[in-house]
Amino acid sequence: TSYFVVTLVFLFLLFCLRLYVVLKSGAKYKPGSKGSVSVLVAVGSGGHTTEILRLLGSLSSAYSPRYYVLAQTDRMSEDKIHAFESSREQGDSEFSVFRIPRSREVHQSWSSSVLSTVNALCYSVPLVFRLKPDLILCNGPGTCVPLCLVGLLLGVLGLKQVVLVYVESLCRVQSLSLTGRILYPLTHYFFVQWAALRDKYPKAIFLGRIV
């Protein structure tokens, strides 16, 4: 029994060390240095979708292909995605749309949120492992939590270095969203759009309003 416990502790420490290395090295990794950058975009609903599409509109055609991942219960975002992609220049519309279960519904209890997040994680693992994006871009929907965790796992296992970029929603002025608080220590680049948040969170990058 003691040998089993020691082995588990060793494996846990090894995992933590590898995770630390992945988080530190990710900011130095330049995925676009050898060509295009494949982007997995975690799409929320309502304002989250509008903001993330505005952000994508400011990116060059080098960020392609784009893999949009949205919740199975999201009925409106896919139409917005197709409208956005059709408005881009011809030849710059290489994209795909995928769906996973929602991590947490509005007003869902915390206890059941754990189960729904685990369920979303189970769907995210095969999807992210298959796509192996260079970059995961998200801005607050709960859907991005399991996607980012699997992106980190790819790096921990040495399969692919995935850069995680989080942009906090413009409506978050004084405090981070729940998703932001979860992903703050795990992302390589964490952007906020208000100086008050930059002052509270030293790792955060403040460039003013970007969406």
Side-chain angles (χ1 to χ4, degrees), residues 5-202:
V5 172
V6 170
T7 302
L8 285 180
V9 172
F10 174 76
L11 290 176
F12 176 75
L13 293 176
L14 188 63
F15 177 85
C16 291
L17 177 61
R18 179 60 183 163
L19 179 60
Y20 175 81
V21 171
V22 168
L23 290 174
K24 288 297 182 181
S25 62
K28 300 177 182 178
Y29 174 59
K30 308 299 181 184
S33 58
K34 296 183 179 179
S36 62
V37 180
S38 60
V39 184
L40 188 154
V41 184
V43 181
S45 56
H48 283 126
T49 302
T50 300
E51 288 189 8
I52 203 72
L53 292 179
R54 284 178 184 168
L55 183 59
L56 286 171
S58 66
L59 301 181
S60 72
S61 58
Y63 291 86
S64 178
R66 292 171 292 280
Y67 308 120
Y68 295 94
V69 182
L70 57 153
Q72 290 176 346
T73 55
D74 188 343
R75 305 302 179 192
M76 300 179 63
S77 293
E78 186 166 358
D79 291 337
K80 294 180 180 179
I81 291 168
H82 284 281
F84 166 76
E85 288 291 342
S86 64
S87 69
R88 295 180 71 91
E89 294 181 7
Q90 190 172 5
D92 184 27
S93 293
E94 186 179 353
F95 74 100
S96 303
V97 178
F98 304 91
R99 290 182 179 270
I100 63 173
R102 190 183 292 272
S103 297
R104 183 173 184 267
E105 297 285 357
V106 178
H107 304 308
Q108 183 179 351
S109 67
W110 295 112
S111 57
S112 61
S113 294
V114 174
L115 296 177
S116 58
T117 299
V118 171
N119 184 42
L121 187 63
C122 292
Y123 280 81
S124 299
V125 169
L127 177 62
V128 178
F129 270 55
R130 175 163 58 88
L131 297 176
K132 290 186 174 66
D134 295 311
L135 184 150
I136 294 179
L137 177 65
C138 51
N139 70 332
T143 304
C144 66
V145 173
L147 295 171
C148 287
L149 292 178
V150 180
L152 281 176
L153 183 60
L154 281 175
V156 170
L157 296 177
L159 299 176
K160 178 69 179 286
Q161 178 69 65
V162 181
V163 177
L164 306 182
V165 178
Y166 183 91
V167 181
E168 185 60 282
S169 175
L170 183 64
C171 68
R172 306 303 303 197
V173 179
Q174 296 292 336
S175 63
L176 296 180
S177 62
L178 174 61
T179 303
R181 294 197 299 271
I182 292 172
L183 294 180
Y184 175 73
L186 301 177
T187 51
H188 301 108
Y189 299 95
F190 192 98
F191 292 90
V192 295
Q193 302 187 65
W194 295 93
L197 289 177
R198 184 265 319 273
D199 296 338
K200 289 182 179 179
Y201 299 93

